[in-house]
């Protein structure tokens, strides 16, 4: 007998590879995946086949070209695809910076999938959804505590939609005050989520973007220069994607207020701030939190998410409706707001995420929330300390002062080896890690953004650092190895970008692929 | 009271173990965690304690939250006839099995390598949905039908460089509020009348309102009020004559039996995915789609991500990636097409599973069963004195307007009495459609048995 040695410093990983066909290739004529409910004979006797009464031209003549597959095979197919997906539940998920990939407690999934949640209709009478309204109202109260704002709407389906709602409120506010035509500019910063700029543009605003000064703070002199009677609003994250807290934020909001603009706060990344600092004291008129980031609701492969939108008293009349209210005995829905922007999402937003976030807060309490912020910042500073020891890695701008995340750079490594951040991204897949670069444009050269949250242990962080260190060393010793990655992922490298850019090739659906193939073979 | 703070690291936060904290601080080179926050000015540091209830452990949490949500009356416990944009349908167990897989539940924005399975599942959803609507291109899902319609309208406006859209007055009021918000301030929504007797779009009014400023005509099939809009071909012909785009919103549960809108001239199709295997969740199950033909001028106007197939360096492997990523606001910020972000991918994935299970036969049977059951309900309700079961003389799908004007009772009164009998009556239309008086929108799907419909009828009959 011998000891089984497990001394490798990086994980000996291989992702599941099932080599599944595209689902259409599983078609077997006559097979059935499920039978929908059948109808009683008495109903047929009464109304006949139900479809003959359809007017000519409205009845479908050719059945849809959907595959026919037995239930077990459909299940197996999707189970295999799930195994080929590296969800946060499976890995040390600190590589998708700005996404706050924290642990989503499993108990909260049980609440969200209870029929007491899933089988509620959005138009049910208030009396029959008192539990849901109570949860919503209480979450509103907690959010008010955390932010200092006076009222929350949970209608936005994500941070982007919350930003859209805030830009809509800015427009409605100035329109109501008769300054709508004059105020046509919104100021944002480059180290913020692209949705700040894009949603304001959807609402018709001209966008002014501030760039960072040498320390990484948004340039305050530039703000003074661009702010004017045309300023409708100022939207900013703090900290921004760099993780650096803008200590002059109160001056920023004052400058904008003095010019008559509204200040709104992108708190998508508030994980380092819970119980530490609040939107109100920094002078903001509005803010939003992502329930799927700071408040742990799972990211669901890209939604449904939820944006909690908070406003000060003066902007409450502009919120989307309905708001949940409580008279001490009963919860009710208030549709009657004087200047409501209308709706951004139908009905009540994403209530199952309201429930999950509520349960998460109850599972932490006030002290636990502060622990979240403190440990998220501790973890990030530990990681920051370790990453800077890796050859070729750096963190531009001011030294230290990072809260929950850092935007790093491989500028030196790329210069010295030719290996880029995109190469490293693919190589990280070989060790079972997610890794994210940055939004565009890349202001920091060869960027990568890490956000360790409170959910990972020191050992977890060490594992991630060890993988990055291994790859950085490999870049210096064997750059081709990194450039040709991945090797242990489900698939190998896609190199022909033409498939995504050329109309002759792009195949967004299976039918497009088949048709283009056929066209090509005719040509040949 | 149990002291919860002694020796108990929080289960969600491993590094609350004091010794680990100390070690990490030592490595960083600071004495306290407080020092890590020194970048936050003193006057911005919150000194108080948040007024949030004490921590609950998992057992307490289960009891506490369980007790609260048990105050809800779910539609499983009653007979519900509520629809109007969110509907009760049969959900195959496999749909829940897949969309509750931790790998999918906790995935997010990983690349096409780590998340190959997610990319393939989304590509397959796009492909399956494309077959149902008989279009080429389908996007990664939007927030809901309303936003899909709004985005489709914005796409049309950019394609045509025109800034008016024609919308039927019989549209869902919920949906209209969202559309107007997304269209403002650039695009003007002009409402087109509907025929009082049939509910159909008033073609004369349409012809009067369409002009060279019209980017698109948007209409729905089936309409919000449940009837089938039969003049699709004429409407899209009118649009074509004015070089405007035809956008049709659909409920996809109808497409096993109803002609896909492209066959009567739609250029863009959009709609709601919730009927395809997603729970209602008080509206949290909503998810929208947009579909078009494979024309460059349309594809480049989608704001959404579009996952495309591609080969890898290894023969036989399917790879995936983003088609025309540079369109998006992720790539171009305010210069991208509209705006993209986290929307509702999981419900697209679920709709894919649903369509793979149902197949063409299942979708036909679903449509047929809905039509039979709703016709039966109309017929039986029509036998009740004073009630006109379908206000509009027309063929309906899934929903229909029940006219209570002759009963002398309000919908509110009737619904209250029904609730006491364990029935959620149809949506009260009196506020949003005052011209109809006391009318309600009833929804009957494949899940409503004959017995339940009969119970509704007898309960309405016995309303005082």
């Amino acid at each position: 007998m011998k000891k089984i040695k497990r001394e490798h410093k990086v994980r000996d990983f291989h992702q599941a590879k099932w080599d599944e066909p595209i689902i259409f290739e599983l078609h077997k004529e006559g097979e059935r995946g499920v039978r929908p409910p059948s109808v009683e004979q008495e109903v047929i006797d009464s109304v006949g086949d139900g479809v003959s009464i359809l007017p000519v031209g409205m009845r479908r003549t050719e059945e849809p070209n959907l595959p026919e597959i037995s239930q077990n095979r459909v299940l197996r197919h999707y189970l295999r695809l799930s195994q080929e997906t590296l969800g946060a539940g499976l890995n040390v998920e600190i590589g998708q910076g700005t996404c706050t990939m924290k642990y989503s407690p499993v108990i909260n999934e049980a609440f969200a999938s209870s029929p007491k949640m899933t089988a509620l209709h959005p138009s049910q009478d208030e009396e029959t959804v008192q539990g849901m309204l109570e949860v919503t109202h209480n979450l509103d109260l907690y959010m008010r505590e955390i932010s200092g704002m006076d009222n929350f709407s949970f209608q936005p389906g994500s941070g982007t939609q919350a930003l859209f709602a805030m830009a809509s409120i800015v427009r409605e506010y100035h329109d109501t005050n008769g300054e709508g035509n004059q105020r046509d500019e919104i100021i944002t910063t480059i180290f913020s989520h692209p949705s700040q700029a894009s949603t304001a543009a959807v609402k018709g605003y001209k966008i002014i973007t501030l760039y960072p000064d040498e320390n990484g703070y948004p340039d305050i002199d530039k703000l003074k220069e661009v702010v004017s009677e045309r300023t409708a609003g100022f939207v900013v994250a703090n900290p921004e994607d760099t993780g650096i807290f803008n200590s002059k934020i109160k001056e920023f909001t004052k400058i904008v207020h003095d010019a008559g603009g509204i200040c709104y706060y992108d708190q998508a990344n508030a994980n380092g701030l819970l119980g530490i600092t609040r939107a109100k004291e920094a002078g903001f008129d509005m803010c939003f939190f992502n329930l799927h980031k700071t408040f742990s609701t799972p990211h669901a492969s890209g939604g449904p998410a939820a944006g909690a939108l908070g406003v000060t008293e003066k902007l409450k009349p502009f919120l989307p409706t309905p708001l949940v209210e409580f008279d001490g005995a009963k919860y009710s829905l208030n549709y009657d707001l004087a200047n409501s922007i209308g709706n951004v999402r139908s009905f009540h937003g994403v209530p199952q995420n309201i429930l999950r976030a509520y349960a998460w807060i109850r599972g932490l309490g006030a002290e636990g929330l502060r622990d979240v912020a403190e440990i998220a910042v501790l973890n990030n500073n530990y990681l920051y300390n370790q990453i800077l020891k890796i050859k070729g890695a750096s963190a531009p701008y001011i030294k230290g002062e990072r809260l929950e995340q850092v935007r790093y750079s491989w500028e030196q490594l790329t210069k010295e080896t030719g290996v880029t951040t995109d190469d490293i991204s693919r190589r990280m897949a070989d060790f079972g890690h997610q890794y994210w670069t940055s939004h565009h444009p890349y202001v920091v050269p060869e960027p990568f953004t890490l956000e360790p949250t409170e959910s990972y242990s020191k050992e977890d962080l060490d594992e991630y650092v060890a993988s990055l260190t291994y790859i950085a060393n490999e870049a210096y010793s064997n750059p081709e190895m990194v450039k040709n990655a991945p090797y242990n992922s489900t698939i190998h490298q896609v190199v022909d970008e033409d498939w995504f850019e050329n109309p002759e090739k792009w195949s967004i659906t299976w039918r497009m692929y088949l048709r283009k193939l056929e066209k090509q073979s005719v040509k040949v | 009271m149990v002291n919860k703070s002694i020796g108990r690291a929080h289960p969600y936060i491993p590094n609350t173990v004091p010794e680990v904290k100390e070690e990490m601080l030592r490595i960083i080179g600071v004495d306290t965690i407080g020092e890590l926050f020194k970048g936050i000015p003193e006057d911005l540091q919150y000194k108080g304690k948040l007024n949030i209830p004490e921590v609950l452990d998992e057992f307490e949490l289960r009891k506490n939250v369980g007790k609260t949500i048990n105050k809800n009356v779910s539609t499983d416990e009653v007979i519900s006839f509520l629809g109007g944009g969110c509907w009760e349908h049969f959900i195959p167990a496999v749909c829940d099995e897949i969309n509750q897989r931790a790998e999918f539940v906790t995935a997010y924005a990983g690349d096409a390598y780590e998340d190959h399975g997610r990319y393939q599942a989304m590509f397959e959803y796009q492909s399956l949905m494309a077959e149902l609507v008989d279009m080429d291109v389908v996007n990664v899902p939007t927030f809901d039908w309303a936003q899909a319609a709004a985005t489709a309208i914005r796409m049309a406006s950019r394609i045509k460089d025109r800034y008016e859209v024609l919308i039927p007055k019989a549209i869902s009021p919920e949906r209209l509020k969202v559309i107007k918000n997304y269209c403002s301030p650039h695009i003007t929504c002009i409402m087109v009348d509907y025929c009082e007797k049939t509910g159909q779009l008033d073609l004369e009014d349409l012809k009067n309102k369409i002009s060279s400023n019209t980017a698109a005509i948007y209409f729905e099939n089936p309409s919000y009020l449940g009837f089938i809009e039969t003049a699709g071909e004429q409407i899209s012909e009118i649009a074509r004559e004015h070089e405007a785009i035809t956008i049709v919103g659909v409920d996809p549960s109808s497409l096993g039996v109803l002609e896909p809108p492209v066959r009567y001239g739609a250029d863009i199709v959009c709609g709601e995915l919730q009927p395809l295997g997603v729970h209602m969740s008080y509206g949290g199950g909503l998810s929208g789609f947009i579909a078009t033909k494979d024309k460059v001028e349309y594809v480049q106007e989608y704001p959404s991500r579009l996952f495309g197939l591609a080969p890898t360096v290894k023969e036989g492997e399917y790879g995936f990636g983003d088609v025309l990523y540079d369109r998006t606001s992720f790539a171009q910020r305010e210069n991208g097409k509209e705006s993209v972000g986290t929307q509702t991918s999981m419900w697209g994935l679920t709709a894919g599973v649903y369509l793979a299970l149902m197949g063409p036969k299942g979708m036909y049977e679903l449509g047929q069963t809905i039509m039979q059951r709703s016709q039966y309900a109309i017929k039986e309700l029509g036998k009740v004195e004073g009630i006109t079961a379908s206000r509009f003389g027309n063929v309906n799908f899934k929903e229909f307007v029940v006219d209570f004007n002759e009963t002398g009772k309000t919908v509110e009164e009737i619904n209250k009495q029904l609730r006491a009998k364990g029935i959620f009556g149809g949506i009260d239309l009196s506020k949003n459609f005052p011209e109809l008086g006391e009318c309600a929108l009833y929804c009957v799907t494949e899940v409503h048995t004959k017995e339940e419909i009969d119970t509704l009828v007898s309960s309405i009959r016995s309303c005082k």
Side-chain angles (χ1 to χ4, degrees):
Chain A
M1 194 174 163
K2 65 165 191 139
K3 184 178 181 202
I4 300 167
K5 288 184 191 161
R6 291 181 53 80
E7 287 167 359
H8 36 272
K9 292 213 171 78
V10 289
R11 191 172 289 272
D12 183 16
F13 173 82
H14 201 300
Q15 190 157 12
K17 178 189 176 78
W18 283 105
D19 195 27
E20 272 294 274
I22 299 297
I23 195 145
F24 289 84
E25 298 175 280
L26 298 173
H27 169 73
K28 177 78 186 159
E29 196 170 344
E31 284 188 1
R32 297 294 301 262
V34 74
R35 287 201 212 101
S38 52
V39 75
E40 300 88 346
Q41 190 58 46
E42 294 100 308
V43 172
I44 300 172
D45 293 344
S46 171
V47 301
D49 74 354
V51 291
S52 300
I53 65 164
L54 281 168
V56 182
M58 285 311 298
R59 183 166 172 185
R60 189 161 192 153
T61 46
E62 280 172 46
E63 65 179 29
N65 185 31
L66 295 169
E68 298 182 330
I69 314 168
S70 66
Q71 188 169 109
N72 181 21
R73 189 64 186 95
V74 172
L75 177 67
R76 200 187 321 146
H77 176 71
Y78 282 102
L79 286 177
R80 287 172 171 178
L81 295 189
S82 77
Q83 291 199 339
E84 293 174 344
T85 303
L86 193 62
L90 287 103
N91 74 101
V92 178
E93 181 66 270
I94 69 176
Q96 293 192 60
T98 78
C99 298
T100 319
M101 304 299 291
K102 64 172 60 183
Y103 172 58
S104 301
V106 174
I107 178 76
N108 300 345
E109 295 309 292
F111 301 138
S113 59
S114 156
K116 287 288 190 178
M117 177 72 249
T118 60
L120 299 182
H121 188 281
S123 305
Q124 276 183 226
D125 190 88
E126 291 165 4
E127 277 177 24
T128 64
V129 283
Q130 286 293 303
M132 187 64 232
L133 300 187
E134 180 182 332
V135 165
T136 310
H137 178 70
N138 284 341
L139 186 62
D140 180 0
L141 297 180
Y142 305 160
M143 291 291 169
R144 294 182 202 180
E145 280 293 301
I146 291 166
S147 65
M149 295 288 115
D150 296 315
N151 231 130
F152 273 79
S153 161
F154 298 101
Q155 194 176 75
S158 74
T160 294
Q161 207 165 42
L163 284 163
F164 174 74
M166 297 204 288
S168 304
I169 289 173
V170 170
R171 176 159 284 286
E172 200 67 37
Y173 175 81
H174 292 305
D175 281 350
T176 305
N177 292 341
E179 293 188 331
N181 292 333
Q182 167 204 325
R183 296 189 179 273
D184 61 352
E185 294 174 349
I186 280 186
I187 303 166
T188 179
T189 67
I190 195 68
F191 277 139
S192 59
H193 194 281
S195 292
Q196 289 183 8
S198 62
T199 53
V202 170
K203 289 309 289 184
Y205 287 109
K206 191 183 148 211
I207 309 301
I208 296 174
T209 306
L210 303 180
Y211 278 70
D213 65 16
E214 67 282 4
N215 285 322
Y217 301 114
D219 192 333
I220 196 164
D221 294 328
K222 191 73 191 169
L223 176 72
K224 287 175 188 160
E225 209 176 287
V226 298
V227 79
S228 74
E229 70 287 347
R230 292 181 62 181
T231 303
F234 169 59
V235 50
V236 73
N238 191 26
E240 298 186 282
D241 291 359
T242 52
I244 303 168
F245 189 88
N246 176 5
S247 56
K248 293 183 186 157
I249 192 63
K250 252 175 120 169
E251 286 177 58
F252 276 69
T253 54
K254 183 167 186 310
I255 291 165
V256 175
H257 281 152
D258 287 349
I262 295 281
C263 296
Y264 59 109
Y265 190 176
D266 176 344
Q267 295 214 267
N269 297 122
N271 210 37
L273 307 177
L274 301 174
I276 305 284
T277 185
R278 311 196 306 173
K280 180 187 182 174
E281 284 75 22
F284 286 97
D285 305 296
M286 291 189 270
C287 74
F288 82 89
F289 298 107
N290 275 338
L291 299 188
H292 55 290
K293 292 182 177 173
T294 308
F295 296 92
S296 93
T297 78
H299 290 71
S301 282
L309 163 59
V311 296
T312 49
E313 200 60 42
K314 89 171 168 184
L315 295 179
K316 182 181 170 184
F318 297 90
L319 282 172
T321 60
L323 295 181
V324 176
E325 286 179 0
F326 184 50
D327 66 5
K330 263 179 69 174
Y331 298 90
S332 59
L333 294 168
N334 177 7
Y335 287 88
D336 190 22
L337 295 179
N339 308 100
S340 174
I341 56 167
N343 286 12
V344 291
R345 193 183 197 277
S346 301
F347 305 115
H348 317 282
V350 185
Q352 66 272 38
N353 282 346
I354 297 173
L355 176 60
R356 286 177 171 116
Y358 167 81
W360 185 76
I361 291 177
R362 297 301 311 268
L364 286 157
E367 282 175 33
L369 288 181
R370 201 175 160 106
D371 279 340
V372 166
E374 290 189 350
I375 301 296
V377 172
L378 174 71
N379 280 359
N380 185 50
N381 277 278
Y382 174 78
L383 192 71
Y384 176 58
N385 179 284
Q386 299 295 302
I387 298 283
L388 293 183
K389 293 176 184 165
I390 302 175
K391 189 176 177 189
S394 62
Y397 306 116
I398 195 171
K399 195 166 170 288
E401 312 238 338
R402 299 304 199 277
L403 290 182
E404 87 295 358
Q405 63 185 355
V406 179
R407 178 151 297 156
Y408 300 95
S409 173
W410 290 117
E411 186 176 21
Q412 187 197 336
L413 180 132
T414 304
K415 266 186 200 149
E416 292 170 355
T417 68
V419 169
T420 66
T421 191
D422 288 327
D423 296 329
I424 292 173
S425 171
R426 287 193 313 280
R427 186 69 174 127
M428 282 294 270
D430 286 333
F431 299 96
H433 293 300
Q434 297 280 2
Y435 173 99
W436 187 64
T437 53
S438 153
H439 290 295
H440 294 93
Y442 285 179
V443 178
V444 167
E446 301 301 324
F448 63 112
T449 313
L450 308 180
E451 182 185 8
T453 79
E454 75 284 8
S455 301
Y456 296 96
S457 69
K458 178 176 170 299
E459 286 68 29
D460 294 336
L461 305 183
D462 288 341
E463 178 187 333
Y464 198 90
V465 171
S467 301
L468 270 186
T469 307
Y470 181 95
I471 295 169
N473 290 339
E474 194 174 63
Y476 283 96
S477 61
N478 184 7
E480 289 309 305
M481 187 74 186
V482 187
K483 286 181 186 170
N484 293 323
Y487 311 95
N488 298 334
S489 189
T490 305
I491 56 159
H492 296 79
Q493 206 176 126
V494 174
V495 288
D496 188 358
E497 290 289 321
D498 209 29
W499 284 69
F500 307 132
E501 303 294 333
N502 179 352
E504 301 288 317
K505 278 191 187 173
W506 69 42
S507 303
I508 298 159
T509 53
W510 186 240
R511 59 156 62 184
M512 286 167 81
Y513 171 68
L514 296 182
R515 194 185 316 126
K516 286 173 189 185
L517 271 188
E518 199 180 338
K519 210 169 144 192
Q520 198 180 42
S521 68
V522 170
K523 268 188 200 164
V524 172
Chain B
M1 201 178 144
V2 185
N3 186 339
K4 291 177 182 169
S5 63
I6 295 174
R8 294 183 68 175
H10 196 285
Y12 305 164
I13 318 176
N15 290 341
T16 42
V17 174
E19 294 75 18
V20 176
K21 251 196 253 188
E22 298 290 312
E23 190 194 351
M24 292 174 78
L25 287 171
R26 189 178 50 72
I27 294 171
I28 295 168
V30 294
D31 294 328
T32 63
I33 286 188
E35 288 176 51
L36 300 175
F37 291 99
K38 68 173 193 287
I40 302 176
E42 192 63 24
D43 64 332
L44 289 185
Q45 295 208 13
Y46 183 70
K47 304 288 187 222
K49 191 186 169 203
L50 299 176
N51 181 18
I52 284 173
E54 281 289 298
V55 55
L56 301 178
D57 63 32
E58 183 168 324
F59 178 71
E60 293 166 327
L61 193 63
R62 186 184 287 275
K63 275 177 63 171
N64 189 299
V65 176
K67 194 174 158 193
T68 306
I69 62 174
N70 275 333
K71 293 176 192 168
N72 297 329
V73 181
S74 87
T75 55
D76 285 355
E77 300 161 75
V78 297
I79 312 170
S80 168
F81 295 93
L82 293 168
C86 186
W87 307 272
E88 196 179 348
H89 282 284
F90 159 68
I91 294 176
V94 175
C95 290
D96 286 341
E97 177 68 18
I98 297 303
N99 68 28
Q100 291 177 9
R101 287 287 296 188
E103 296 91 332
F104 285 141
V105 169
T106 63
Y108 193 28
D111 273 329
Y113 301 100
E114 308 92 274
D115 284 1
H116 175 77
R118 177 172 67 85
Y119 273 75
Q120 181 164 342
M122 285 311 293
F123 172 79
E124 291 180 347
Y125 151 71
Q126 292 169 186
S127 301
L128 291 159
M129 198 62 202
E131 296 303 335
L132 187 66
V133 296
D134 197 17
M135 282 286 203
D136 301 320
V137 180
V138 173
N139 63 341
V140 169
T142 64
F143 290 103
D144 56 10
W145 179 349
Q147 189 245 322
T151 293
I153 290 165
R154 293 187 69 96
M155 285 169 68
S157 168
R158 288 194 297 273
I159 292 167
K160 293 292 176 187
D161 194 21
R162 293 178 177 185
Y163 298 90
E164 283 178 9
V165 58
L166 302 178
I167 298 176
K169 270 186 190 157
I171 189 180
S172 144
E174 273 296 321
R175 215 141 44 227
L176 182 62
K177 278 202 270 183
V178 176
I179 291 172
K180 279 190 167 170
N181 195 16
Y182 271 91
C183 284
S184 149
H186 296 300
I187 303 168
T188 309
C189 300
I190 297 171
M191 306 309 288
V192 181
D193 284 335
Y194 61 87
C195 169
E196 205 182 305
K197 273 192 182 151
T198 64
Q200 301 279 312
L201 197 68
D202 180 339
L203 296 184
E204 284 312 305
D205 195 42
L206 176 69
K207 285 178 194 163
N208 289 335
K209 285 173 177 164
I210 196 166
S211 75
S212 58
N213 298 324
T214 307
I217 301 175
Y218 170 79
F219 68 97
E220 299 177 345
N221 228 345
S223 70
Y224 173 70
L225 299 177
F227 56 81
I228 293 165
E229 179 64 66
T230 56
E233 206 142 329
Q234 288 156 274
I235 295 168
S236 52
E237 185 54 39
I238 293 167
R240 262 195 306 278
E241 280 166 12
H242 292 82
E243 292 179 25
I245 286 172
T246 300
I247 306 171
V248 181
V250 291
D251 169 351
S253 67
S254 70
L255 290 178
V257 293
L258 287 194
E259 197 70 302
V262 64
R263 303 282 173 83
Y264 48 85
D267 301 298
I268 307 179
V269 176
C270 61
E272 179 55 55
L273 294 174
Q274 182 267 327
L276 305 182
V278 184
H279 294 277
M280 298 184 291
S281 295
Y282 203 45
L286 298 191
S287 172
F289 73 92
I290 301 173
T292 62
K293 292 175 192 160
D294 181 18
K295 292 181 182 169
V296 176
E297 67 268 33
Y298 281 75
V299 176
Q300 70 190 8
E301 293 305 329
Y302 277 91
S304 336
R305 293 179 76 177
L306 301 167
F307 288 172
L309 187 72
T312 77
V313 293
K314 188 177 171 192
E315 187 62 57
E317 278 182 354
Y318 290 127
F320 301 96
D322 279 271
V323 171
L324 287 187
Y325 182 76
D326 280 346
R327 295 168 288 120
T328 66
S329 60
F330 281 154
Q332 303 280 347
R333 300 177 71 87
E334 68 270 26
N335 299 318
K337 309 292 182 180
E338 198 185 299
S339 187
V340 68
T342 303
Q343 297 180 325
T344 57
S345 291
M346 185 64 97
W347 300 151
L349 199 155
T350 306
V353 176
Y354 180 89
L355 290 173
L357 288 166
M358 292 287 275
K361 302 282 183 297
M363 289 310 291
Y364 177 80
E365 290 162 0
L366 172 75
Q368 183 179 31
T369 304
I370 290 171
M371 291 207 68
Q372 287 169 318
R373 291 199 184 285
S374 51
Q375 283 163 33
Y376 177 76
I378 291 170
K379 195 171 168 184
E380 293 302 310
L381 280 166
K383 293 176 185 168
V384 180
E385 204 189 326
I387 286 178
T388 308
S390 186
R391 164 71 175 70
F392 299 108
N394 218 321
V395 180
N396 290 67
F397 183 84
K398 193 153 100 179
E399 291 177 276
F400 49 93
V401 174
V402 180
D403 186 339
F404 292 95
N405 283 302
E406 300 296 311
T407 64
K409 289 171 222 147
T410 65
V411 172
E412 196 179 346
E413 286 162 8
I414 290 163
N415 279 353
K416 198 172 172 195
Q417 291 190 44
L418 288 176
R419 230 171 15 255
K421 298 171 193 206
I423 295 171
F424 291 171
I427 290 175
D428 189 343
L429 294 173
S430 61
K431 255 191 208 140
N432 287 317
F433 292 85
E435 68 272 26
L436 298 178
E438 292 299 325
C439 282
L441 182 65
Y442 271 73
C443 168
V444 173
T445 75
E446 76 281 11
V447 303
H448 294 90
T449 63
K450 175 182 178 292
E451 195 188 336
E452 288 171 336
I453 295 167
D454 292 344
T455 303
L456 169 73
V457 174
S458 64
S459 301
I460 287 184
R461 204 172 257 132
S462 65
C463 277
K464 291 185 188 105

